[in-house]
Amino acid sequence: MSRLVRWFAALLVITAVFATIYVVMQQVERQGADDAPARLASQVASQLVAGVTPRPAAEDRVDLATSTALFYVVYDVNGRAADGTGYLGGTLATVPPGVVAAGRTSAGDHVTWQTSDGLRFAVVVRRSGASVVLAGQSLAPTETRIDGLGLLVLAAWLAAAALLVIAFFVDRALRAIE
């Protein structure tokens, strides 16, 4: 019985190791999704502080319902979308007021924004004078990569667990021979 408990404990340790690997990889991917929006928010905020108002051309528009491209939206002092490249339903994207308020009261904020129809975005909010700049990108590619990583970790865990089970039965057979 004690041998069986040791083998089961080994399986638990292997499971914990692979679960930890998955969580770390998932967090690295998700946090990495904030990098490009953070750079864009910083760039647009710097331009606004310098007195340069970015004027995106019509071809710079990003339809958030269909594109995974990087986008930004500038919110005015009243929290209304004033300018930018991120459009949803034909108008500049509007995030919940709390997101803009958080950007106004801090140096910056990183959040996941989910629209009412389930679209998810990594967004970074930065204050720029009286304005707030929100920059983001779709999480769809990141979530697809995370799903793929999850399958790889699951396959590796299954292989390790199978090897452990094989080792258990080999050990058991060898002990029976003795």
Side-chain angles (χ1 to χ4, degrees), residues 2-82:
S2 68
R3 279 194 177 96
L4 184 60
V5 170
R6 281 188 229 139
W7 285 103
F8 186 70
L11 181 61
L12 285 177
V13 168
I14 288 172
T15 301
V17 167
F18 281 98
T20 301
I21 289 169
Y22 173 76
V23 168
V24 168
M25 292 172 66
Q26 185 272 339
Q27 285 297 301
V28 166
E29 281 291 327
R30 175 55 190 89
Q31 290 175 14
D34 289 340
D35 292 346
R39 286 190 298 273
L40 180 58
S42 176
Q43 176 187 354
V44 173
S46 295
Q47 289 173 338
L48 290 171
V49 166
V52 178
T53 303
R55 294 287 176 215
E59 63 269 9
D60 294 334
R61 282 183 162 200
V62 176
D63 180 359
L64 302 185
T66 59
S67 177
T68 60
L70 203 55
F71 66 91
Y72 74 91
V73 178
V74 177
Y75 293 88
D76 65 18
V77 70
N78 297 315
R80 289 188 300 256

Side-chain angles (χ1 to χ4, degrees), residues 63-66 87-90 93-94 113-121:
D63 180 359
L64 302 185
T66 59
Y87 284 78
L88 195 56
T94 303
W113 168 44
Q114 183 168 325
T115 64
S116 59
D117 56 352
L119 299 172
R120 292 171 39 86
F121 301 91

